[in-house]
Amino acid sequence: MDIPRIFTITESAHHIHNPFTPEKYATLGAVLRLEPETRVLDLGSGSGEMLCTWARDHKITGLGVDMSQLFSAQAKQRAEELGVTDRVRFIHADAAGYVADEKVDLAACVGATWIGGGVAGTIELLAKSLCPEGIILIGEPYWLKLPPTEEIAKGCEANAISDFLMLPELIGSFEALGYDVVEMVLADLEGWDRYSAAMWLTMRKWLKANPDDDFAKEIRAHLSSEPKRYATYTREYLGWGVFALMAR
């Protein structure tokens, strides 16, 4: 069980696998008013930065679930680096369908709503692990401005314009599902640059270290096209944020 190899190569040097910066995660923890011993479940936890830093800064306890072997190992290493192995743990497993053994105060899926077949299904999944009056966190892209053509939408790595909503419509979709939106923290261009541009150096270093790998041709093609694609499409049209929801 693992994610596609392209991600474990391009994002192997990332602590954060989305357009958030460490400062944005710090802001999110602060605005959520996290209290010590808050129980957190993070589905699609990546390299564990959110749980580990919140354990250090807010004394939460947490469980992260991710299907990437590399990222799960990195998350455990990060917990050791920050001295929070007694507060958070990480398991390598498929987050799709995962329900916690005990109810949690906060259930998150930050940038992996495919685990539930989309936003609505992921919210439904997270709710199964949530205690009454708990908070759901959803990380999701949205259009900064509507692409004028389907070609531009595909340039943003969407299958179609309909894949994402404008920000007001995305917030409205949460409300239509019966949730109050109680907080949001949005990524900025610096976060997008750090998430996307950091991959380019990682790919270049990987190519130098693995010139004869069967995957080298694909990585070379990706490195040759990604900077221009990102600057032309994603940076111009795509936003991303984390939204805190409470059931009505």
Side-chain angles (χ1 to χ4, degrees):
M1 179 195 306
D2 212 333
I3 61 175
R5 193 181 181 200
I6 186 72
F7 299 111
T8 59
I9 293 174
T10 60
E11 299 187 31
S12 60
H14 283 50
H15 282 306
I16 299 172
H17 304 279
N18 60 56
F20 260 19
T21 59
E23 293 77 17
K24 290 290 184 179
Y25 270 131
T27 296
L28 183 60
V31 300
L32 290 174
R33 308 170 198 176
L34 294 173
E35 298 180 356
E37 308 308 323
T38 297
R39 297 160 298 176
V40 181
L41 173 68
D42 188 9
L43 299 185
S45 51
S47 296
E49 191 72 3
M50 185 177 79
L51 285 183
C52 289
T53 55
W54 285 0
R56 178 195 63 193
D57 298 338
H58 301 283
K59 309 305 179 187
I60 62 99
T61 63
L63 171 66
V65 183
D66 200 278
M67 69 184 301
S68 166
Q69 296 184 48
L70 174 63
F71 299 162
S72 297
Q74 290 176 336
K76 293 175 182 177
Q77 181 179 354
R78 187 62 169 153
E80 292 177 0
E81 290 172 357
L82 298 186
V84 294
T85 54
D86 60 329
R87 307 200 69 84
V88 294
R89 64 187 182 95
F90 298 94
I91 59 175
H92 172 236
D94 189 353
Y98 188 93
V99 178
D101 294 333
E102 297 181 6
K103 299 291 185 181
V104 299
D105 304 302
L106 189 154
C109 179
V110 179
T113 54
W114 53 266
I115 68 171
V119 170
T122 301
I123 290 174
E124 183 180 358
L125 172 61
L126 293 172
K128 295 177 181 178
S129 297
L130 198 66
C131 67
E133 292 299 302
I135 291 176
I136 286 175
L137 288 186
I138 291 288
E140 186 71 3
Y142 59 89
W143 294 123
L144 291 172
K145 56 184 180 182
L146 204 63
T149 68
E150 294 290 349
E151 181 181 359
I152 290 175
K154 291 177 180 177
C156 297
E157 300 188 312
N159 293 314
I161 295 173
S162 59
D163 278 7
F164 307 131
L165 302 171
M166 297 290 288
L167 182 57
E169 295 170 341
L170 179 58
I171 291 174
S173 72
F174 298 138
E175 295 170 344
L177 292 170
Y179 286 84
D180 290 321
V181 180
V182 297
E183 257 296 354
M184 71 177 186
V185 177
L186 305 180
D188 55 23
L189 285 179
E190 173 63 17
W192 271 115
D193 288 349
R194 296 283 46 78
Y195 173 54
S196 297
M199 299 182 199
W200 310 338
L201 182 57
T202 299
M203 285 189 280
R204 181 59 187 258
K205 287 179 174 292
W206 185 91
L207 284 168
K208 182 179 180 181
N210 301 275
D212 299 321
D213 193 289
D214 291 342
F215 211 59
K217 184 177 181 180
E218 182 166 342
I219 294 297
R220 164 41 65 190
H222 205 61
L223 176 57
S224 297
S225 62
E226 268 302 287
K228 184 177 180 180
R229 183 208 63 77
Y230 165 71
T232 303
Y233 299 111
T234 300
R235 202 174 192 272
E236 181 78 11
Y237 288 93
L238 201 60
W240 195 89
V242 178
F243 304 85
L245 317 175
M246 295 181 72
R248 289 177 180 159

